[in-house]
């Protein structure tokens, strides 16, 4: 048959009758069924002799029949010549299926309406798949909207396919602005120029430089500012199409925390000097007492030599004065060393927000703890808000105790630290740091707060001694006791209100 030849009616009828993947039938102008192909018999379950001459309304659902939908459909087809919609139809056994329905008006050569042709597909499975896909997409969207780290999906050309809510907040772009763009817009120019080469190199060689490994890189926000981030990339293949999912964690706050930690450590070094003065007081008094006693003795001897007179007395007096001068210089050196030690002057106690103080100190002390498997819990009494302390000194105590607790739980199966507060009856607050470590041996527990007592191979044994000096200078007490379920609890008290120095 040549292109453009007319198909004879018999051939066309055979094609319609033999189609089994769809229902094809004709209704007369009154809506009665006049033909019924094999596909219609399979789809609806009716044999031809059971429907020929019957109204096409029986193929509609009860709800549609009650709403006069069959007549409304015919009226639309008469007016428009064609109607196509997805709707429900009913089989012989009463079961319903979702159908793609096309109804066409059939006219004779002179324009007279001869009837209506209908073609119906069962799209129930397709609709279910579409609904499942929609639910899956909705679920994915909910994940993208709630995942705390930014998540970006790109294809093997570097084109962005999806952009999570966290990514929108981090980079300053909306998803609509970046989907379809190359991911290099999120990179500084120096990195963007190399990114496509990295992907091409990986496709060609399979060499992994970041995929499945993770690394610290630099990102660029919409306003042009750059920030450090940890990038972890996963890969998936579907129908020979490769996609990459990147999980991005902003390291800006962590870097600020590390910088703040260094600043605080600098402050704590100075505070440690001040706190160590209490421990050093007796030693300094002893050192100063020796030259001062010697000076007094030499001067007393000099007075007696002056009374005695004579050349020999003058020689001895000169020696006594020289020795007194030497001892005075020695005492001066001791005083100068002490002055240099406390060169930044006295600290100042103020009313401080205790929860905030604990939060700042714990953030610094817990840096790197999560990576070591350590969990931190906080049980802060809601009715305790302020204490009168020197903030830096008390943060030194907390940082010291928390870092000790982190070291104590290392290697334990359960690595938990609990920081808690409670109010005492004497206008004091108790702060405690509990760990799930192995506990303290009796011999070290007895001298725990003494200078140079330590359980660490590389420790100097001054940390807890300094902590005790700081706490006692705040009119408080510090102690350690076994934890009932294993481990150790360090407790120290602080004043709620101001007190006289």
């Amino acid at each position: 048959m040549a292109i453009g030849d007319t198909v004879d009616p018999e051939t066309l009828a055979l094609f319609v009758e033999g189609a089994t993947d769809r229902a094809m039938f004709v209704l007369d102008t009154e809506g009665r069924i006049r033909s019924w192909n094999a596909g219609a018999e399979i789809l609806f379950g009716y044999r031809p002799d059971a429907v020929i001459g019957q109204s096409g309304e029986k193929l509609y659902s009860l709800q549609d029949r009650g709403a006069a939908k069959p007549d409304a459909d015919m009226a639309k087809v008469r007016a428009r010549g064609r109607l196509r919609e997805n709707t429900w139809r009913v089989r012989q056994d009463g079961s319903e299926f979702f159908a793609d329905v096309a109804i066409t008006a059939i006219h004779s050569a002179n324009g007279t309406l001869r009837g209506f042709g209908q073609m119906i597909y069962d799209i129930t499975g397709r609709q279910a798949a579409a609904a499942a896909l929609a639910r899956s997409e909705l679920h994915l969207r909910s994940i993208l909207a709630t995942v705390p780290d930014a998540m970006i999906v790109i294809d093997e050309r570097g084109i962005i396919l999806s952009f999570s809510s966290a990514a929108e907040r981090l980079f300053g772009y909306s998803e609509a602005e970046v989907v379809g763009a190359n991911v290099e817009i999120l990179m500084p120019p120096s990195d963007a120029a190399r990114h496509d080469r990295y992907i091409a190199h990986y496709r060609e060689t399979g060499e992994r430089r970041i995929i499945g490994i993770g690394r610290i890189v630099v990102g660029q926000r919409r306003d042009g500012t750059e920030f450090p981030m940890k990038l972890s990339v996963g890969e998936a293949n579907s129908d020979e199409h490769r996609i990459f999912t990147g999980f991005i964690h902003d390291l800006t706050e962590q870097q600020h925390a590390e910088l703040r930690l260094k600043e605080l450590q600098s402050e704590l070094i100075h505070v440690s000097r001040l706190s160590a003065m209490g421990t050093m007081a007796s030693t300094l008094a002893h050192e100063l007492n020796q030259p001062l006693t010697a000076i007094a003795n030499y001067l007393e001897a000099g007075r007696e030599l002056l009374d005695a007179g004579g050349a020999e007395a003058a020689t001895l007096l000169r020696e006594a004065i020289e020795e007194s001068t030497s001892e005075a210089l020695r005492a001066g050196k001791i005083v100068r060393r002490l002055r240099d030690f406390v060169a930044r002057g006295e600290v100042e106690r103020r009313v401080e927000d205790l929860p905030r103080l604990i939060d700042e100190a714990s953030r610094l002390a817990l840096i790197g703890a999560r990576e070591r498997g350590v969990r931190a819990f906080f049980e802060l009494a809601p009715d305790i808000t302020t204490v009168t302390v020197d903030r830096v000194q008390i943060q030194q105590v907390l940082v010291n105790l928390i870092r000790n607790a982190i070291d104590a739980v290392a290697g334990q199966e359960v690595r938990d630290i609990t920081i808690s507060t409670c109010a005492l009856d004497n206008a004091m607050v108790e702060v405690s740091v509990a760990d799930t470590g192995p506990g303290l041996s009796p011999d070290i527990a007895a001298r725990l707060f003494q200078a140079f007592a330590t359980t660490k191979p590389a420790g100097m044994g001054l940390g807890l001694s300094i902590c005790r000096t700081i706490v006692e200078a705040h009119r408080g007490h510090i102690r350690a006791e076994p934890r009932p379920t294993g481990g150790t609890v360090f407790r120290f008290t602080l004043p709620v209100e101001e007190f006289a120095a």
Side-chain angles (χ1 to χ4, degrees):
M1 180 180 293
I3 296 175
D5 289 351
T6 303
V7 179
D8 64 274
E10 184 180 356
T11 302
L12 184 60
L14 290 173
F15 166 73
V16 172
E17 289 296 327
T20 59
D21 61 336
R22 72 206 72 180
M24 299 173 69
F25 54 93
V26 175
L27 289 77
D28 61 20
T29 56
E30 301 300 322
R32 292 185 293 268
I33 299 171
R34 291 305 182 190
S35 69
W36 194 251
N37 77 335
E41 183 177 349
I42 294 171
L43 182 58
F44 286 94
Y46 292 104
R47 292 184 58 80
D49 56 4
V51 292
I52 298 295
Q54 300 290 316
S55 172
E57 291 186 2
K58 69 188 308 178
L59 307 179
Y60 284 75
S61 67
L62 289 175
Q63 182 178 357
D64 286 348
R65 276 182 268 174
K69 181 172 172 54
D71 293 338
D73 287 351
M74 293 301 104
K76 290 178 183 178
V77 176
R78 284 188 178 94
R80 304 173 188 172
R82 182 177 177 82
L83 173 66
R84 182 160 188 177
E85 65 178 354
N86 294 336
T87 185
W88 291 96
R89 288 289 188 262
V90 179
R91 297 184 179 91
Q92 184 180 23
D93 60 9
S95 63
E96 295 185 358
F97 64 95
F98 202 61
D100 177 5
V101 178
I103 307 175
T104 304
I106 303 173
H107 295 89
S108 62
N110 61 7
T112 304
L113 180 66
R114 299 285 300 276
F116 305 94
Q118 288 200 26
M119 186 162 57
I120 300 175
Y121 292 90
D122 182 359
I123 60 171
T124 307
R126 188 196 312 170
Q127 182 69 14
L133 181 61
R135 288 194 299 271
S136 177
E137 183 176 355
L138 183 63
H139 180 60
L140 177 60
R141 287 288 173 186
S142 70
I143 294 174
L144 292 176
T146 57
V147 66
D149 285 343
M151 188 168 77
I152 302 171
V153 180
I154 65 173
D155 64 15
E156 57 187 355
R157 298 172 298 156
I159 303 302
I160 299 174
L161 302 178
S162 67
F163 203 68
S164 72
S165 297
E168 291 181 328
R169 294 190 295 270
L170 179 58
F171 288 95
Y173 292 99
S174 68
E175 184 177 28
E177 291 176 300
V178 297
V179 168
N182 194 294
V183 72
E184 63 188 25
I185 67 171
L186 309 177
M187 306 173 187
S190 58
D191 292 339
R194 297 190 296 266
H195 181 261
D196 288 345
R197 294 202 304 271
Y198 289 156
I199 294 182
H201 177 79
Y202 174 66
R203 288 202 310 264
E204 295 169 2
T205 66
E207 179 185 352
R208 296 190 172 194
R209 296 183 177 179
I210 186 171
I211 297 170
I213 301 172
R215 64 189 296 183
I216 306 300
V217 296
V218 177
Q220 180 173 282
R221 296 185 176 91
R222 181 175 185 172
D223 59 9
T225 58
E226 298 179 2
F227 64 97
M229 65 186 195
K230 182 178 181 181
L231 174 63
S232 302
V233 180
E235 177 188 9
N237 289 290
S238 176
D239 297 330
E240 298 185 358
H241 292 287
R242 184 178 293 170
I243 63 171
F244 304 96
T245 303
F247 295 90
I248 297 170
H249 181 68
D250 185 4
L251 298 179
T252 305
E253 183 177 347
Q254 180 177 328
Q255 285 198 350
H256 287 167
E258 291 174 354
L259 179 60
R260 175 60 184 146
L261 176 60
K262 292 179 181 178
E263 293 174 351
L264 183 59
Q265 285 174 337
S266 178
E267 294 181 51
L268 294 182
I269 289 172
H270 170 67
V271 173
S272 298
R273 293 171 179 167
L274 295 173
S275 302
M277 286 179 60
T279 306
M280 296 174 60
S282 59
T283 303
L284 290 172
H286 178 69
E287 285 195 44
L288 287 172
N289 187 58
Q290 288 180 342
L292 292 176
T293 301
I295 291 171
N297 291 337
Y298 284 129
L299 291 176
E300 182 67 26
R303 186 180 63 183
E304 294 177 358
L305 290 171
L306 285 173
D307 293 338
E312 184 179 357
T315 300
L316 294 173
L317 177 59
R318 186 177 295 108
E319 292 178 1
I321 293 173
E322 290 175 354
E323 292 294 336
S324 297
T325 301
S326 176
E327 293 296 331
L329 292 174
R330 177 186 169 194
K333 289 180 181 179
I334 294 173
V335 172
R336 280 194 298 274
R337 288 201 304 268
L338 177 61
R339 183 189 61 191
D340 293 340
F341 187 75
V342 293
R344 285 181 58 180
E346 293 186 357
V347 294
E348 184 177 0
R349 297 184 182 92
R350 298 178 181 175
V351 176
E352 299 285 351
D353 185 315
L354 181 59
R356 180 179 177 183
L357 185 152
I358 292 174
D359 179 66
E360 290 180 352
S362 60
R363 283 177 182 269
L364 295 171
L366 291 168
I367 289 177
R370 184 174 63 178
E371 288 74 11
R372 298 170 63 180
V374 178
R375 299 186 304 174
F377 300 90
F378 295 85
E379 299 174 357
L380 307 183
D383 57 335
I384 302 172
T385 57
T386 60
V387 288
T388 304
V389 296
D390 181 272
R391 177 181 59 83
V392 176
Q393 285 191 339
I394 298 306
Q395 283 185 335
Q396 179 189 11
V397 173
L398 281 167
V399 170
N400 198 314
L401 295 181
I402 294 172
R403 296 303 298 181
N404 285 349
I406 293 172
D407 292 338
V409 299
Q412 299 295 112
E413 185 175 351
V414 178
R415 303 173 188 176
D416 292 347
I417 297 173
T418 304
I419 299 104
S420 57
T421 61
C422 66
L424 303 180
D425 295 333
N426 54 352
M428 301 289 283
V429 172
E430 184 181 81
V431 182
S432 63
V433 178
D435 63 63
T436 57
L440 298 171
S441 61
D443 60 325
I444 195 65
R447 53 188 180 90
L448 191 60
F449 296 97
Q450 296 177 8
F452 309 112
T454 181
T455 59
K456 301 177 182 179
M460 295 183 63
L462 293 175
L464 291 177
S465 175
I466 292 173
C467 289
R468 183 186 66 177
T469 302
I470 292 174
V471 171
E472 291 180 352
H474 282 78
R475 203 182 60 179
H477 299 282
I478 186 169
R479 68 185 191 277
E481 59 190 35
R483 191 165 172 263
T485 56
T488 307
V489 183
F490 284 83
R491 305 181 189 276
F492 63 95
T493 56
L494 298 172
V496 176
E497 299 176 351
E498 293 184 80
F499 60 95

